Amino acid sequence: MQALAADPTEARVEALLKRMTLDEKLGQMSQSTELRAPLSEKNKAEIRQGRWGSFLNAAGPAERVEAQRIALKESRLGIPLIFGRDVIHGYRTVFPIPLGQAASWDPELIRQAARVAGREAARSGVHWTFAPMLDITRDPRWGRVAETLGEDPYLTSILGAAMVRGFQGGSIGAADSIAACAKHYVGYGAAEGGRDYNTTWIPEIELRNVFLRPFDAARQAGVATFMSAFNSLNGVPTSGNEFTLRQVLRKEWKYDGMVVSDWESIREMIPHGYAADPADAAFKGLRGGVDMEMVSTTYFDHLKALIASGQVPMSWIDDGVRNILRLKLRMGLFDRQPAGLAIAADPEGAAIARRIAAQSAVLLKNDSNTLPLTTKTIAVIGPLADSPVDQMGAWVMDADPKEVRTPLAALRDRLGEGRVHWARGLKSSRDQSRDGFAEALGAARASDVVLLFLGEEQILSGEAHSRAFLNLPGAQEALVEEVAKAGKPIVAVIMAGRPLTFPSVAAKSSAVLYAWHPGTMGGPALADVLFGDAVPSGRLPITFPRTVGQVPIHYAHMSTGRPPSEKELGIPMGTPLDPRGFTSKYLDVDFTPEFPFGFGLSYTTFEYANLRLSSPSMSLAGSLTISADISNTGSRDAVETVQLYTRQLAASITRPVRELRAFRRVHLRAGEKQTVEFTLKASDLAFYNSKMQLAAEPGDFHVWVAPDSALGLQAAFKLTR
Ligand code: GLC
């Protein structure tokens, strides 16, 4: 009890808990989306009864003010509600989708964007966002890849922690902060077949060395809540998984935040075949360690009987309620009288949205320096050049499409209407009709250069929107074929929520810029990049396959016993049975990716030279300094993202052929050379071994200072006992 006296929050939690009835406890553990605008009499009565602890994604600022007033003033104990909402990549001001933001490799800018989102949401009475999504995935078929920060656990950890700090600000008790939520805990992105909600089988070693790492980083960054997931993990649904929710999260990580289930994921343990009925689902969700049930009502409906029958100890309920009350007290919700709430864009939002959208764009091809444009007259063609809703991407709930600045509008602003020949070409990215082709070809013929805005409409990615193919939907490739007849240089600007495959479009284009779904200010940002006001510095946070047949594909793969070296394709008829060609490759496509993790071009060139290590070895308690000279050998000032990778050549378990260990965004003026230095600690090389011990192991290593995961200056060092 000593600890309680020392911590006033804990003392208040205990004092409240003692006064709560079982119904009030179960009410706190229940989250609903049924808040009407205006509030229904049922809403008001239930809030007075303490039937709900939280509402999500419902009603607006006025209803939140009224509902909170009733909870604080008219319920028996005056316990406030906590309002949750999916503020995934912006609230009123929309930033690029998280996968796009990740391409900036800029944690500080990502933090600033999340800070804007936090302020905008808090100002409208939202207390809690269900972000950042920290799922690792290597499967672009999965619709929710759009919401991830990519394939790499280190990059996802750094950027996810930045989002947490952005949403939560200096303290979750501040009026302009919102609680963040590490989701979907855990392994959701490993869904078989890239099909959403599908089964995941992840060995504990892989779970700890890859999938859990970003969640631990978010915990260390102070994330206030976790969200369990929809997927079954090794046979046990993550919303009832004692290993992840109790053993790892509570026992090993000592986490004292609150865990909410995902939408009906407690009840879904019935169709999973893990719970026999709603009462069993409630039992297994609570036993697993979920404190608050989102949308389904098995807790409220069945835990009272389970308590009465002795199947559920009251301590399980009290522990869950403690975590909920602690969060509300830490956020100061008991003492906040909401007023004057409104949905409004933050004054800093537009500038940050423009910057991060420009920094997220990845230049994949730029033959003969087609970009930046110097031309006088351009054709703007394609359905995504003027599609505000698509440009904002998935998971946008509170933005106004009228506030979106599209590429067409931005280019007309920059060049004047007369110098922009606009033709949509297709009604949408899925349109199969060629009715608009003639007009598109005409626009191309009347222009010096063609900007083709292609990709996916936003509804083709996001939750439950997985695709079995990664090609450009609709007749977009045919549109490019038609427009190419004009014989003008083509710049393809691709907006999408995932890596796509577009070899024929890339072959016909002089330049390719990958813009993801760039958000509210995507138009001005892309115009800035296309005309050189912003030099592209984006780097891929996820591997781009040549074909969907290569999926899953990622850079940090294991070597195998027969690593392919040659890129031979095909196999001549009558080839004799000869073991020499038996390596881990394909006969019909080059086994390497189309574009590797970390890849991106610039409007200048960089040279890496003079890689040097402070020592040829380090002890298990030591560290190494690794440095290289990076020169800007071109004519434009630019930012290069210098990446540090290592490989352990032999260990007690097989280890990836490369692992990102650090990165640095370096601004270099034209002609400038800088020495970039990294400190690598032996502890950075630790991994979970087959005994589930986190430890570095002595051995031989390679290290790269590199522009991406396929290239770089290489050296070797030893890790000694
Ligand atoms: C959804 C998503 C989750 C979201 C929640 C609330 O189904 O899986 O990411 O935060 O429900 O909308």
Side-chain angles (χ1 to χ4, degrees):
M1 292 310 274
Q2 187 59 28
L4 293 183
D7 183 339
T9 299
E10 294 310 315
R12 281 185 75 180
V13 166
E14 294 309 316
L16 255 179
L17 197 61
K18 281 195 182 62
R19 299 170 56 205
M20 294 173 77
T21 65
L22 180 52
D23 275 350
E24 287 165 338
K25 292 178 182 177
L26 298 180
Q28 284 302 310
M29 301 174 85
S30 304
Q31 179 184 55
S32 170
T33 184
E34 300 296 318
L35 193 67
R36 297 279 170 255
L39 296 189
S40 65
E41 287 314 307
K42 182 169 180 282
N43 282 149
K44 295 175 186 174
E46 288 185 338
I47 294 168
R48 287 189 195 98
Q49 291 156 12
R51 171 69 183 83
W52 306 103
S54 173
F55 288 95
L56 81 143
N57 293 349
E63 290 75 31
R64 290 194 274 269
V65 171
E66 174 59 3
Q68 196 68 305
R69 188 195 60 72
I70 295 170
L72 288 167
K73 302 295 183 197
E74 299 179 20
S75 72
R76 192 175 75 89
L77 294 173
I79 298 173
L81 297 162
I82 181 167
F83 295 106
R85 200 168 185 84
D86 288 292
V87 184
I88 307 302
H89 53 106
Y91 183 68
R92 183 62 174 217
T93 306
V94 178
F95 302 100
I97 54 173
L99 188 60
Q101 292 187 41
S104 73
W105 291 54
D106 190 336
E108 174 49 21
L109 190 52
I110 286 172
R111 184 198 65 76
Q112 291 175 23
R115 189 79 291 274
V116 166
R119 283 200 300 267
E120 290 183 350
R123 193 172 296 128
S124 81
V126 171
H127 300 131
W128 175 26
T129 178
F130 304 123
M133 187 220 208
L134 301 170
D135 299 298
I136 297 293
T137 192
R138 287 107 177 225
D139 196 329
R141 295 172 296 180
W142 187 47
R144 304 200 75 167
V145 63
E147 303 168 58
T148 72
L149 293 166
E151 72 184 47
D152 183 73
Y154 176 81
L155 183 64
T156 298
S157 297
I158 298 290
L159 303 185
M163 279 189 173
V164 169
R165 289 192 298 272
F167 288 130
Q168 298 190 165
S171 153
I172 58 171
D176 70 349
S177 293
I178 56 177
C181 181
K183 78 179 185 184
H184 305 81
Y185 186 67
V186 62
Y188 182 30
E192 279 184 355
R195 206 152 36 85
D196 205 357
Y197 315 118
N198 206 359
T199 308
T200 65
W201 298 97
I202 308 173
E204 186 178 341
I205 276 188
E206 183 78 347
L207 200 61
R208 289 181 181 276
N209 285 328
V210 176
F211 294 88
L212 284 169
R213 281 171 54 191
F215 288 91
D216 192 19
R219 173 192 65 87
Q220 294 181 48
V223 71
T225 67
F226 270 59
M227 180 189 290
S228 66
F230 291 123
N231 57 300
S232 72
L233 171 63
N234 304 330
V236 179
T238 50
S239 292
N241 196 306
E242 293 175 88
F243 172 70
T244 53
L245 289 167
R246 290 204 185 276
Q247 171 58 31
V248 176
L249 185 61
R250 302 293 186 186
K251 290 203 183 79
E252 293 180 21
W253 294 354
K254 308 280 185 279
Y255 184 64
D256 73 352
M258 191 260 274
V259 175
V260 66
S261 61
D262 200 343
W263 194 288
E264 296 216 286
S265 60
I266 299 286
R267 185 196 56 75
E268 287 178 8
M269 287 195 277
I270 300 169
H272 266 298
Y274 184 68
D277 54 35
D280 195 25
F283 172 74
K284 287 171 177 170
L286 188 62
R287 181 187 64 181
V290 173
D291 302 318
M292 182 179 279
E293 181 176 15
M294 182 188 285
V295 176
S296 54
T297 58
T298 68
Y299 279 19
F300 196 86
D301 297 344
H302 300 283
L303 285 178
K304 200 182 286 186
L306 289 167
I307 292 266
S309 67
Q311 281 177 276
V312 166
M314 183 58 81
S315 63
W316 289 4
I317 303 274
D318 289 346
D319 287 347
V321 175
R322 282 191 181 96
N323 293 333
I324 295 164
L325 295 177
R326 184 178 305 115
L327 173 65
K328 293 181 174 182
L329 283 163
R330 284 177 173 169
M331 293 191 69
L333 300 185
F334 284 80
D335 310 312
R336 259 190 235 172
Q337 303 292 340
L341 302 180
I343 297 178
D346 186 279
E348 292 178 21
I352 291 172
R354 183 168 181 165
R355 256 183 68 213
I356 197 167
Q359 279 192 216
S360 298
V362 184
L363 184 61
L364 298 176
K365 180 179 181 182
N366 192 23
D367 288 355
S368 322
N369 293 320
T370 304
L371 294 177
L373 296 174
T374 54
T375 181
K376 297 284 173 286
T377 308
I378 61 173
V380 173
I381 297 171
L384 292 164
D386 195 42
S387 184
V389 169
D390 291 320
Q391 183 174 317
M392 288 194 283
W395 277 114
V396 171
M397 308 176 90
D398 300 281
D400 179 349
K402 293 192 292 300
E403 293 172 0
V404 172
R405 311 280 290 108
T406 66
L408 176 63
L411 291 164
R412 280 173 164 164
D413 282 352
R414 182 180 280 261
L415 298 174
E417 295 246 353
R419 292 171 49 199
V420 175
H421 298 290
W422 157 236
R424 191 176 286 276
L426 294 160
K427 291 188 183 65
S428 75
S429 72
R430 278 180 283 179
D431 184 8
Q432 295 285 4
S433 159
R434 299 178 182 227
D435 294 351
F437 281 21
E439 183 192 20
L441 182 54
R445 287 194 164 125
S447 307
D448 304 323
V449 70
V450 176
L451 300 187
L452 262 168
F453 288 84
L454 306 164
E456 287 178 320
E457 59 222 61
Q458 61 84 21
I459 201 70
L460 295 178
S461 59
E463 182 170 353
H465 299 161
S466 298
R467 291 181 62 204
F469 295 97
L470 298 175
N471 58 317
L472 288 168
Q476 295 184 74
E477 290 182 11
L479 174 62
V480 177
E481 188 94 26
E482 183 70 11
V483 165
K485 292 173 185 170
K488 304 293 175 63
I490 291 176
V491 175
V493 180
I494 298 178
M495 292 191 193
R498 56 165 55 85
L500 293 177
T501 54
F502 45 88
S504 68
V505 171
K508 292 183 180 61
S509 304
S510 305
V512 179
L513 187 67
Y514 218 80
W516 316 100
H517 287 129
T520 304
M521 294 300 283
L526 290 172
D528 290 344
V529 173
L530 290 166
F531 282 88
D533 296 349
V535 177
S537 62
R539 296 288 178 272
L540 294 180
I542 191 166
T543 299
F544 274 52
R546 296 175 187 279
T547 168
V548 69
Q550 289 180 292
V551 171
I553 181 172
H554 59 108
Y555 87 92
H557 60 80
M558 302 304 175
S559 168
T560 78
R562 296 195 178 195
S565 50
E566 73 288 351
K567 295 187 180 179
E568 82 200 24
L569 280 184
I571 182 164
M573 297 298 283
T575 300
L577 194 58
D578 179 340
R580 274 170 302 177
F582 286 17
T583 59
S584 177
K585 64 178 182 298
Y586 299 104
L587 292 181
D588 46 4
V589 70
D590 183 325
F591 67 89
T592 59
E594 184 69 41
F595 301 106
F597 173 86
F599 176 79
L601 299 174
S602 173
Y603 290 155
T604 189
T605 49
F606 298 101
E607 189 180 273
Y608 284 58
N610 198 8
L611 173 61
R612 47 201 184 280
L613 279 58
S614 55
S615 163
S617 68
M618 68 171 148
S619 73
L620 285 173
S623 65
L624 266 184
T625 301
I626 299 141
S627 50
D629 297 336
I630 315 296
S631 301
N632 177 341
T633 50
S635 57
R636 297 183 70 102
D637 299 357
V639 169
E640 167 67 338
T641 298
V642 183
Q643 300 156 41
L644 182 75
Y645 294 92
T646 63
R647 175 185 184 179
Q648 180 153 14
L649 299 182
S652 62
I653 54 169
T654 57
R655 305 291 298 128
V657 295
R658 279 207 196 196
E659 285 185 282
L660 180 68
R661 295 296 184 189
F663 60 91
R664 186 89 41 78
R665 298 182 82 253
V666 181
H667 181 274
L668 291 165
R669 288 187 311 284
E672 182 185 3
K673 176 170 77 172
Q674 276 187 34
T675 296
V676 177
E677 192 173 277
F678 296 100
T679 299
L680 181 69
K681 301 191 299 295
S683 55
D684 294 336
L685 303 173
F687 60 91
Y688 281 91
N689 58 30
S690 46
K691 298 186 185 68
M692 295 311 140
Q693 297 152 338
L694 178 60
E697 291 180 9
D700 290 320
F701 286 77
H702 286 163
V703 58
W704 294 263
V705 173
D708 63 46
S709 60
L711 301 174
L713 300 176
Q714 179 180 333
F717 68 87
K718 281 186 182 309
L719 184 56
T720 60
R721 286 208 176 287

